[in-house]
Amino acid sequence: MNTNEILARLRAKYPGENEYLQAVQEVLESVEDVYNQHPEFEKAKIVERMVEPDRIFTFRVTWVDDAGQVQTNTGYRVQFNSAIGPYKGGLRFHKAVTPSMLKFLGFEQTFKNALTTLPMGGAKGGSDFDPVGKSNDEIMRFCQAFMLELWQCIGPDQDIPAGDVGVGGREIGYLYGMYKKLARQYNTGVLTGKGGTWGGSILRPEATGFGALYFTQHLLEKAGKDIKDKKIALSGFGNVAWGAATKATELGAKVVAISGPDGVCHIPEGITKEMIDYMLVMRASNRNKVEDMAVKFPGKAFFTAGKKAWSIPVDIALPCAFQNELSEDDAKELVANGCWCCCEVSNMGCQPGAIHYFQDNGIYFAPGKAVNAGGVATSGLEMTQNAEHISWDAQEVDDKLHFIMKSIHEQCVKFGTRPDGTVDYVKGANIAGFMKVATAMLEQGTI
Ligand code: GLU
């Protein structure tokens, strides 16, 4: 494989699609050696096929706001790769959504889903709809209008969307209600992240955050360290950050910083159960302001405008919000303040410069596609429950999630161990996911 040649071709073909090009580059650089040991991959042009999505749907979404004004957004579904299972991945509602962003996320999803050990292909979708400041009724009308188009593209054995940034249990409810009306079928398996009384997995809301902490525990265990009493900074206060804060606190760590687009909240004594519960209120308010935590808990949470979570001295950094949210300068500040571990929970949360800085300075680093795979893995478990018309209790789902995260960690170690015995989790995760998808593509012929 000539990585440089492939990248140059993609850069010329997709100018400006920086996140997608960055994601492709990271995977190609990781798998190059292994790929070259398999001439059959080269012959079948596996890489050239794998970097292109199978198809992208684009559609207009028109809805009416509370003031009676007609609003129009654009909706997308990128069905990236279905070599090992039906398309699977979340829906993102955020003002910055572009087809290119969803392409990069769909590409990443393909490898992440392969790591889960479950049969799921990769997809991503969403809209440039901005939920900030929207009322509950506006959210509902938008979800209904979005599903008017999306329902034609999805199905339990075809493509199974779920939540992502800006899409949680409430949005999945509205989306499912409209799907059911259009399809005239109670097809629970068509979406995951559903409510507990109508086919949802009881642990899905917590799963991404819980899984991330299970992975972090395995990484620390391998490094001969313990999470107890360690200080943690995390970004965001959505579903993922909430699950991560819950599990980190339960395991005895101290979450001393959470952040939002407006700034950071320093919580010197560590986040409490009441504060974790309040994160859900903050998310549901659609205000998108972390300052609300400091207003609600004066004397315990201290807000600084314009600062990131990475400015607070901690042992472990957990980016939980958005891609590229941790820059090389942030990495330097973290390390200068004593941070020695960063587990990326958001998809591609760290910029390449930050990853290199961590790796060059012996900081434990693991990528989002391994760390956050517990979310989609639990979606996979939800799909199994829906297909078999059964429901597992929280303990059973948690045990399975734990087992999956252990297995993802083992795959990273298997494919990422360096000659000196340390682990390159980026390389390990990419090779493990790649080998599974590439082998399936090869066996299914040139299509
Ligand atoms: N959006 C989540 C992710 O990035 C979950 C996807 C899913 O459950 O399908 O993996």
Side-chain angles (χ1 to χ4, degrees):
M1 164 168 71
N2 188 334
T3 303
N4 289 338
E5 201 183 294
I6 295 173
L7 286 172
R9 211 166 42 232
L10 289 175
R11 274 191 204 107
K13 190 167 166 191
Y14 302 115
E17 297 201 20
N18 296 334
E19 288 161 343
Y20 161 72
L21 294 165
Q22 178 186 325
V24 170
Q25 179 167 355
E26 186 200 280
V27 170
L28 296 196
E29 284 173 359
S30 293
V31 305
E32 188 164 9
D33 291 346
V34 177
Y35 194 84
N36 289 337
Q37 289 158 23
H38 289 270
E40 68 277 19
F41 288 165
E42 181 77 47
K43 188 160 178 281
K45 293 277 185 282
I46 293 293
V47 154
E48 286 81 348
R49 288 157 57 191
M50 207 185 254
V51 297
E52 298 282 355
D54 286 356
R55 64 192 69 80
I56 303 180
F57 296 104
T58 304
F59 45 91
R60 175 176 55 76
V61 185
T62 293
W63 56 286
V64 181
D65 68 17
D66 286 350
Q69 299 292 319
V70 176
Q71 302 284 349
T72 293
N73 292 97
T74 310
Y76 310 95
R77 185 69 179 166
V78 179
Q79 296 183 335
F80 216 103
N81 187 298
S82 65
I84 65 165
Y87 302 107
K88 180 83 194 92
L91 297 171
R92 179 171 291 196
F93 293 169
H94 190 278
K95 61 178 186 233
V97 162
T98 61
S100 173
M101 183 196 290
L102 299 175
K103 212 167 103 180
F104 123 67
L105 289 164
F107 178 75
E108 290 286 283
Q109 196 82 37
T110 302
F111 298 91
K112 179 199 318 200
N113 293 4
L115 282 171
T116 64
T117 72
L118 304 175
M120 299 182 287
K124 205 83 182 188
S127 172
D128 58 356
F129 170 74
D130 182 6
V132 177
K134 300 292 186 299
S135 71
N136 192 53
D137 286 350
E138 288 176 323
I139 300 272
M140 181 174 75
R141 287 196 293 274
F142 177 79
C143 288
Q144 291 172 339
F146 184 84
M147 189 50 90
L148 276 175
E149 282 288 337
L150 185 72
W151 82 284
Q152 298 278 9
C153 318
I154 60 178
D157 294 313
Q158 188 180 357
D159 184 352
I160 307 95
D164 195 75
V165 176
V167 179
R170 170 182 53 180
E171 290 76 11
I172 293 293
Y174 296 147
L175 289 163
Y176 185 69
M178 194 52 154
Y179 174 84
K180 185 166 61 102
K181 195 165 178 63
L182 293 162
R184 300 195 181 180
Q185 278 182 17
Y186 207 96
N187 229 341
T188 44
V190 77
L191 290 172
T192 59
K194 299 179 292 294
T197 56
W198 45 282
S201 162
I202 196 145
L203 212 75
R204 181 65 187 88
E206 292 91 339
T208 308
F210 278 26
L213 266 296
Y214 295 152
F215 188 96
T216 306
Q217 264 189 310
H218 285 295
L219 181 148
L220 295 186
E221 195 188 324
K222 170 121 184 73
K225 294 182 182 282
D226 187 357
I227 196 162
K228 206 165 173 324
D229 297 326
K230 300 297 178 299
K231 287 188 178 165
I232 295 183
L234 51 85
S235 53
F237 49 86
N239 219 34
V240 174
W242 166 76
T246 305
K247 186 52 80 178
T249 308
E250 197 183 301
L251 296 174
K254 262 189 182 185
V255 175
V256 297
I258 64 168
S259 64
D262 52 334
V264 63
C265 256
H266 185 200
I267 311 166
E269 297 308 314
I271 203 162
T272 61
K273 164 99 180 60
E274 292 71 34
M275 292 178 185
I276 294 173
D277 288 346
Y278 194 64
M279 286 166 94
L280 294 178
V281 178
M282 285 158 60
R283 144 90 171 106
S285 77
N286 289 337
R287 279 171 47 80
N288 213 14
K289 288 199 187 319
V290 80
E291 185 178 6
D292 293 358
M293 182 67 87
V295 172
K296 177 81 180 165
F297 297 94
K300 289 187 175 161
F302 304 91
F303 176 70
T304 310
K307 284 276 185 192
K308 294 187 184 178
W310 325 129
S311 60
I312 308 288
V314 289
D315 299 291
I316 301 168
L318 300 179
C320 293
F322 217 64
Q323 68 265 18
N324 289 320
E325 57 174 311
L326 199 155
S327 68
E328 185 172 345
D329 284 347
D330 295 328
K332 286 181 179 161
E333 186 171 7
L334 276 166
V335 175
N337 283 335
C339 172
W340 45 267
C341 175
C342 174
C343 285
E344 203 180 56
V345 192
S346 40
N347 293 303
M348 223 166 75
C350 294
Q351 296 178 15
I355 300 177
H356 293 142
Y357 188 78
F358 285 140
Q359 290 182 327
D360 292 348
N361 286 278
I363 307 299
Y364 299 103
F365 175 78
K369 62 174 74 100
V371 180
N372 74 26
V376 72
T378 306
S379 278
L381 300 176
E382 186 173 328
M383 285 160 65
T384 304
Q385 294 178 70
N386 294 157
E388 295 183 8
H389 301 284
I390 52 168
S391 104
W392 293 321
D393 64 21
Q395 189 58 53
E396 195 160 354
V397 179
D398 200 26
D399 288 347
K400 288 181 166 54
L401 171 64
H402 216 137
F403 181 79
I404 289 170
M405 296 317 294
K406 182 166 179 273
S407 145
I408 295 173
H409 183 263
E410 280 164 3
Q411 293 174 69
C412 292
V413 172
K414 178 176 170 195
F415 291 103
T417 300
R418 302 183 182 100
D420 67 358
T422 60
V423 183
D424 182 340
Y425 284 90
V426 174
K427 198 165 183 178
N430 282 331
I431 297 178
F434 174 84
M435 286 305 285
K436 196 167 169 189
V437 178
T439 307
M441 286 175 72
L442 195 66
E443 289 171 1
Q444 290 169 16
T446 311
I447 45 162

